[in-house]
Amino acid sequence: MNITKENIDALNAVVKVEISAADYQEKVATILQDYRKKADIPGFRKGQVPMGMIKKQYGKSVMIDEVNKLLQESLNNFLKEEKLDILGNPLPKMQDDINWDADDYAFEFELGLAPEFDVKLDAKKKITQYNIIADDELLGKEIENIQKRYGKIIAKDTVEEGVNIAGTFVNEEKEINKKSTIELASVKGKVNQKKLIGKKVGDVVELKTKGLFDDDHKLMGALGIDHDAIHGLDIVVQFTIEEVNITELSEINQELFDKVFGPDVVKSKEELIAKIKEDAEKQFKTQADQQLLNDVTEYLVENTKFDLPTEFLKKWLAIAGEKPMTPEQASEEFEKSEKGLRYQLIEGKILKDNEIKLDFAELQEFAKGFVKAQMAQYGQLNPEEKELDDIVQRVLSNQDEAKRLQEQLVSQKLLTFYKENITFKVKELNYEKFVKEVYK
C-alpha cells in the first residue's frame, strides 16, 4: 500500500491511496474459507462446497468490502500520523470506471485544510465591559412589586386609577377569545384609559390594539397571539369587564420580610434594599458576562483574518447532511455557517495555545452545580450527595446534555481567560440604559 499527499495550495490537498492485491488477498481468502465452512448448498455436504463455487458467488463482494474497509482505515491512520488538521471530512474524487476485476486500485480524496493564523487580544478599539447596577428607581419598583405580591386584594365595582381589570378580549375575524388580567396603569394613552375609567363589571369596551400597551409583549400576552403576529397589529377588540380589583400594598415590616426571605434573614428595610440589590446585580452580572462574551466573539471574528477552503466546504456541505443539497443550497448554507466556523477555529486556537483544558472531573462538578441550582428552584435546597451524584450521572450519560454542559463550561473558562488577558472599557449604568444601549 502506498499513500501520498499533494498540496494544491495552503488550504487544499489531495491524498492518493494505492492498494495492491497483496494488501487484501490474505484477508479475503480467510473470509472465503470461513464462508466455505458455513455454506449450506444443496448437493454438497456442509464444509465441502468447492472453493471455486464460493469464489464465484461471494468473491467479488467480499473483495470490494475488504478494499473499502482497508481504504477507510488506512486513510484515517494517515491523517492521524501526519497530524493533518482538516475541515469537514475527506471527499472521494468520483470514479465512474473502477475495474473491480483488476488486482490493484488507486483512490483519491480531496482535503480541506484548516488555516494557520494568530489571534491578537490587544484590541485597538476597546470592547465595553458593562457593570449593571440596581439604581434607586429599580429598587423602589422591586419593593413595590413585593408589597403587591403579598398585599390584600380588594374588589371594586368601578374602574378607577390603580386597579387591575380581569376580562375577555374578543375579535371574531382574528379568532381572538382570551381571558386576561391587565393593569390600568399599563394601558397606553389617555384616550384608552378614559374609555375604561368609570366602567363597571359587565360593560363592554371597544379598544384599538395599535398602541394599546406600553409594550407589545403585554399585548401579546393579553390577546394570546404569537410573537410574529403581534407587531403592527391594528384591529379593534371588544373587552368585556368581568372583575375589577385593587391591591392594597402590604406593610413593610418583619412579617413581610419573613414571608419573602424566610425567618429572620432580613430584619430591616435597609437590609431588604441591600438584599434586593445583591440579588438583582447577581442576575445583571450573568447578563453582562454573556454580552461581554458575545462582544469578544464578534470582535475576534471580525479582526482575526484568515482564508477558508470555501469551495471544498461548499462541496462537503452538499453531501454531508441527511439530504443532499444543490450547489446553490450548499452555498447559502455556507454563508449562514461561516461566522460560526470561523469562531470555532479561533476558539480552538485560543484553547490550544493557552493550554485551556477540560477534564471529566471538572465537567462533573460543573454539572453538579447546574443540578443543584435546578433543584433549588423547586425548593430542594440540601439534596443528599448520593442523590446528586446519581442525577449528575444520568445527565452526563445523555450525549446532548453532556455536550451542552461542556460548551457552557468551555465558555465560562474562555470568559475568565478574556477578562484576564483583554483590557476592556468598563461602563457602569442601570439596567434600563443597558437594555437600550445593547438591544437598541
Side-chain angles (χ1 to χ4, degrees):
M1 183 185 298
N2 185 41
I3 304 181
T4 56
K5 177 172 74 74
E6 179 188 354
N7 289 328
I8 307 302
D9 54 40
L11 298 171
N12 295 275
V14 173
V15 170
K16 186 174 183 180
V17 183
E18 295 175 308
I19 297 175
S20 64
D23 297 318
Y24 61 83
Q25 276 182 341
E26 185 178 342
K27 181 72 174 179
V28 170
T30 301
I31 293 172
L32 291 177
Q33 283 288 357
D34 189 54
Y35 276 24
R36 187 183 181 217
K37 290 176 186 177
K38 297 175 182 177
D40 189 3
I41 298 176
F44 297 94
R45 284 184 296 171
K46 194 169 184 177
Q48 298 300 313
V49 179
M51 180 55 79
M53 185 178 289
I54 295 294
K55 284 183 178 180
K56 185 176 180 181
Q57 191 166 353
Y58 301 109
K60 183 173 287 189
S61 63
V62 169
M63 183 269 292
I64 292 172
D65 191 39
E66 286 307 308
V67 167
N68 280 322
K69 284 180 186 177
L70 186 61
L71 177 63
Q72 195 61 54
E73 183 181 335
S74 58
L75 180 61
N76 289 340
N77 289 338
F78 178 78
L79 296 177
K80 287 178 185 176
E81 289 165 6
E82 295 293 315
K83 296 180 180 177
L84 294 176
D85 193 0
I86 66 171
L87 302 179
N89 292 317
L91 288 179
K93 281 194 169 185
M94 299 308 295
Q95 293 177 257
D96 296 326
D97 57 346
I98 298 177
N99 178 13
W100 290 109
D101 292 322
D103 291 329
D104 302 332
Y105 304 97
F107 303 91
E108 291 186 337
F109 293 85
E110 296 178 59
L111 302 182
L113 305 177
E116 293 185 5
F117 58 91
D118 293 317
V119 180
K120 295 181 180 179
L121 299 174
D122 53 338
K124 292 179 181 178
K125 184 180 178 182
K126 292 288 186 289
I127 300 166
T128 301
Q129 181 178 9
Y130 292 100
N131 179 24
I132 309 169
I133 59 168
D135 60 8
D136 291 342
E137 184 180 353
L138 182 140
L139 294 172
K141 286 180 180 177
E142 285 302 307
I143 290 172
E144 187 176 327
N145 286 338
I146 290 172
Q147 288 179 277
K148 282 182 180 178
R149 200 184 317 151
Y150 294 94
K152 183 180 178 182
I153 296 175
I154 301 170
K156 292 282 185 178
D157 295 324
T158 306
V159 177
E160 59 187 56
E161 287 188 11
V163 299
N164 300 318
I165 311 167
T168 302
F169 287 96
V170 174
N171 179 288
E172 291 183 3
E173 183 185 347
K174 297 289 184 180
E175 297 183 345
I176 296 170
N177 191 315
K178 178 74 165 56
K179 289 183 179 292
S180 301
T181 299
I182 61 173
E183 293 181 11
L184 181 64
S186 68
V187 174
K188 189 177 178 182
K190 290 182 179 179
V191 173
N192 286 326
Q193 291 207 2
K194 280 183 180 178
K195 287 182 179 180
L196 291 164
I197 290 175
K199 293 294 187 290
K200 298 180 181 297
V201 172
D203 287 347
V204 179
V205 182
E206 282 198 349
L207 298 166
K208 287 187 176 180
T209 57
K210 187 175 182 181
L212 181 57
F213 293 102
D214 52 16
D215 182 351
D216 274 349
H217 290 91
K218 290 179 182 176
L219 182 63
M220 187 169 71
L223 302 184
I225 292 180
D226 64 37
H227 194 275
D228 293 333
I230 205 70
H231 293 293
L233 184 68
D234 188 6
I235 59 173
V236 173
V237 290
Q238 284 73 44
F239 180 55
T240 303
I241 299 171
E242 294 163 359
E243 189 179 323
V244 180
N245 60 60
I246 194 165
T247 303
E248 186 179 90
L249 298 182
S250 172
E251 288 186 33
I252 299 176
N253 55 26
Q254 192 61 47
E255 183 183 355
L256 177 64
F257 304 153
D258 291 348
K259 284 179 181 176
V260 178
F261 300 105
D264 296 327
V265 174
V266 170
K267 296 181 180 179
S268 67
K269 185 176 180 180
E270 290 72 27
E271 288 185 17
L272 172 66
I273 292 170
K275 180 67 174 168
I276 294 172
K277 184 177 177 67
E278 179 189 352
D279 291 346
E281 289 182 353
K282 194 181 291 182
Q283 292 182 31
F284 295 160
K285 184 179 183 303
T286 300
Q287 198 163 343
D289 280 348
Q290 184 58 55
Q291 186 59 40
L292 182 64
L293 191 59
N294 293 346
D295 289 341
V296 172
T297 299
E298 286 291 328
Y299 172 82
L300 291 174
V301 170
E302 290 297 321
N303 292 277
T304 307
K305 303 299 182 184
F306 53 82
D307 293 325
L308 290 169
T310 303
E311 292 309 311
F312 168 85
L313 289 170
K314 288 178 181 178
K315 286 166 68 175
W316 175 68
L317 284 170
I319 64 169
E322 291 182 8
K323 293 182 180 179
M325 296 184 189
T326 64
E328 293 76 18
Q329 289 172 327
S331 181
E332 187 179 332
E333 184 62 29
F334 174 76
E335 288 177 14
K336 288 179 187 174
S337 58
E338 182 181 1
K339 183 180 283 188
L341 173 59
R342 286 182 177 277
Y343 182 68
Q344 192 177 342
L345 290 169
I346 293 167
E347 182 183 279
K349 175 79 170 170
I350 291 171
L351 293 172
K352 182 181 177 182
D353 287 355
N354 297 281
E355 296 184 346
I356 302 172
K357 296 176 182 176
L358 178 67
D359 60 40
F360 188 66
E362 282 182 296
L363 183 59
Q364 282 180 310
E365 282 303 308
F366 184 75
K368 191 178 287 188
F370 171 78
V371 171
K372 283 178 77 172
Q374 292 285 309
M375 294 176 77
Q377 290 182 4
Y378 296 96
Q380 292 177 268
L381 300 176
N382 296 300
E384 292 184 6
E385 199 66 22
K386 186 180 184 309
E387 180 188 11
L388 201 55
D389 289 339
D390 289 345
I391 296 172
V392 167
Q393 188 175 348
R394 287 201 301 274
V395 169
L396 293 180
S397 66
N398 181 313
Q399 286 188 348
D400 292 337
E401 279 295 309
K403 183 181 178 184
R404 186 175 66 82
L405 288 169
Q406 184 174 324
E407 288 171 352
Q408 288 180 9
L409 181 53
V410 168
S411 293
Q412 192 179 88
K413 282 176 169 277
L414 283 169
L415 182 63
T416 300
F417 173 79
Y418 293 148
K419 285 182 177 181
E420 292 172 351
N421 291 275
I422 299 177
T423 303
F424 299 107
K425 177 178 71 177
V426 179
K427 187 169 186 177
E428 187 172 279
L429 70 182
N430 65 25
Y431 184 70
E432 186 178 351
K433 288 181 179 177
F434 168 77
V435 170
K436 285 182 179 177
E437 181 164 323
V438 170
Y439 303 111
K440 313 301 181 193

